[in-house]
Amino acid sequence: MTLHLRTYKNLTDKKLSSYLKVGEVDGIVILMQSPGSDEYNFPNFRVTYGGSKAIFSIDEPALVKGKLPIDVSINILKWAKENRDDLYKSWNNLF
């Protein structure tokens, strides 16, 4: 499975609960919470897929917490490395 996500330019239109939706493909949803509003003091994003949830760091993309199917995790990590600059832009533009 190849993951092709795009980062939304206008994040405020993609609110989902207390998170902002950054992207979605094939049931994989990428979310961010504004800096300082979660328990992590580093740039991160969250992934939901089916009933599974996980948190990934942006700096050096890695799974921080949670569990996803292995193929989904591998594709998320690859995508995050390739799109790190866009993830940082999204992180820095929150609220």
Side-chain angles (χ1 to χ4, degrees):
M1 173 174 82
T2 303
L3 188 64
H4 297 286
L5 290 178
R6 68 180 179 87
T7 303
Y8 289 105
K9 301 297 182 206
N10 188 352
L11 292 174
T12 58
D13 292 343
K14 303 293 176 187
K15 282 196 175 190
L16 183 66
S17 183
S18 64
Y19 297 93
L20 295 173
K21 189 179 196 179
V22 177
E24 180 175 5
V25 67
D26 297 333
I28 301 168
V29 179
I30 309 291
L31 304 164
M32 285 187 178
Q33 220 175 2
S34 63
S37 63
D38 65 13
E39 66 270 26
Y40 300 102
N41 293 324
F42 54 85
N44 67 82
F45 63 95
R46 289 147 194 263
V47 175
T48 63
Y49 178 73
S52 302
K53 298 177 183 177
I55 300 170
F56 290 83
S57 62
I58 296 173
D59 293 330
E60 185 59 43
L63 177 64
V64 175
K65 184 178 179 182
K67 188 173 181 179
L68 295 170
I70 191 69
D71 61 329
V72 173
S73 292
I74 289 169
N75 282 313
I76 290 294
L77 288 168
K78 182 179 176 185
W79 173 82
K81 286 177 184 177
E82 293 170 356
N83 294 280
R84 191 175 313 168
D85 289 343
D86 286 336
L87 285 167
Y88 274 121
K89 285 178 191 174
S90 294
W91 176 264
N92 290 324
N93 288 326
L94 291 173
F95 297 96

